[in-house]
Amino acid sequence: MTALHTKLPGAVPSSRSGQPPIEDYAVIGDCRTAALVSREGSIDWLCLPDFSSSAIFGGILDRGAGGRFLVQPRDEFTVRRRYLEKATPVL
């Protein structure tokens, strides 16, 4: 487990639960299932293979026991952005 939510600008955990607020999550999906992704990039909620399945990650409900998926460097790192001159379909 990491405590990156407190280090990210605008990502302040709720004082009661230590959880980030729900507005700090985004949804990604494919019309069969969806995942809730935190600002730090962890998947904190995911049901597979479809919406009616049990959750395999439930970190949004319980940070300690709910489980989550996060891939990140072990050491400190710097993030840089680069924008292309012309509009492209690449995010």
Side-chain angles (χ1 to χ4, degrees):
M1 280 292 165
T2 62
L4 290 180
H5 288 293
T6 57
K7 296 179 183 178
L8 292 172
V12 179
S14 164
S15 59
R16 275 189 291 146
S17 67
Q19 295 284 94
I22 192 67
E23 59 266 17
D24 284 352
Y25 285 92
V27 176
I28 55 173
D30 64 0
C31 296
R32 289 180 301 173
T33 192
L36 285 177
V37 182
S38 73
R39 282 182 180 250
E40 69 183 65
S42 66
I43 296 176
D44 289 353
W45 178 264
L46 175 62
C47 295
L48 283 178
D50 53 42
F51 286 115
S52 61
S53 303
S54 298
I56 61 169
F57 299 119
I60 195 167
L61 301 176
D62 184 336
R63 297 290 282 175
R68 59 190 258 191
F69 181 78
L70 174 64
V71 175
Q72 69 180 25
R74 296 179 98 181
D75 299 323
E76 276 194 42
F77 59 96
T78 303
V79 176
R80 286 185 263 159
R81 293 183 186 188
R82 182 173 72 107
Y83 295 95
L84 302 175
E85 297 280 330
K86 296 180 182 181
T88 66
V90 178
L91 296 176

